[in-house]
Amino acid sequence: MDSKKMTKEQKYELLVAQVSSLLEGETNWTARLAETCAAIHDAMGFFWVGFYLVEDEQLVIGPFQGSVACLRIPKGKGVCGTAWKQRKTLIVKDVEEFPGHIACSSLSKSEIVVPLFNAENEVVGVLDIDSDELFTFDETDAKHLEEIVKILNNSIGFSTK
Ligand code: SME
């Protein structure tokens, strides 16, 4: 089917299957993160897709697709640091309305951040996606991106909440 005619739900269903198949048998963490963000970026056309990984009390940038971005984010800061601290997915429909939002690019208008958990149920990183349009993300994105993060984690022995 022409991807321009597909609904968001249909695009995510294909993407989830694609990520599952791409990651099969690959145990290297960097390879898995890099491949996953490229797959999401290609399938959904989002402005910026990437991972930030926990190191001490900060998030450090990991594999991503898009323009250069902030290298480090302290716990509790910005949308990413808040999703880490609150241990839950955050949907920001308008970044201007989120107190403390960190603007890596003035083109970023809305955002979703999904935490990654390890087997001890600690946050080990976040998946961060930015859109150059307002109101891009909703519960459909949250549901499928959480599913993708589970696939990413599970087959290397990480668990999610
Ligand atoms: N906007 C994010 C920072 C990371 S960039 O969007 C890539 C935040 O507020 O945490």
Side-chain angles (χ1 to χ4, degrees):
M1 192 195 284
D2 180 353
S3 69
K4 289 197 186 107
K5 292 186 187 147
M6 286 163 67
T7 64
K8 181 156 79 171
E9 185 80 35
Q10 287 170 324
K11 285 187 194 173
Y12 271 119
E13 279 167 16
L14 273 184
L15 175 61
V16 167
Q18 188 196 11
V19 169
S20 243
S21 136
L22 284 170
L23 299 187
E24 205 179 326
E26 180 51 67
T27 54
N28 180 279
W29 189 223
T30 305
R32 295 171 67 79
L33 294 171
E35 196 77 340
T36 301
C37 69
I40 298 170
H41 188 262
D42 286 356
M44 307 306 292
F46 297 134
F47 172 67
W48 197 93
V49 181
F51 292 94
Y52 280 92
L53 303 172
V54 170
E55 196 179 284
D56 302 322
E57 284 304 288
Q58 292 188 322
L59 289 166
V60 183
I61 202 159
F64 68 94
Q65 294 275 318
S67 318
V68 292
C70 324
L71 294 178
R72 288 174 184 264
I73 300 172
K75 189 171 188 178
K77 301 290 180 194
V79 186
C80 292
T82 306
W84 173 17
K85 192 172 170 193
Q86 296 184 356
R87 301 166 53 82
K88 63 175 193 191
T89 298
L90 292 182
I91 296 170
V92 178
K93 295 190 180 286
D94 178 355
V95 295
E96 299 285 336
E97 303 287 315
F98 188 94
H101 166 258
I102 299 165
C104 293
S105 164
S106 58
L107 296 175
S108 174
K109 301 280 189 276
S110 58
E111 181 162 352
I112 185 167
V113 179
V114 181
L116 279 64
F117 295 85
N118 66 10
E120 285 73 46
N121 213 22
E122 299 157 335
V123 176
V124 290
V126 298
L127 166 62
D128 177 24
I129 304 183
D130 289 17
S131 168
D132 55 4
E133 291 174 10
L134 291 166
F135 305 106
T136 296
F137 305 105
D138 56 24
E139 288 306 320
T140 300
D141 300 271
K143 181 178 109 183
H144 292 290
L145 293 169
E146 284 173 5
E147 200 178 344
I148 288 169
V149 159
K150 271 189 191 147
I151 294 167
L152 184 60
N153 283 347
N154 283 348
S155 43
I156 55 164
F158 279 13
S159 66
T160 49
K161 57 187 163 159

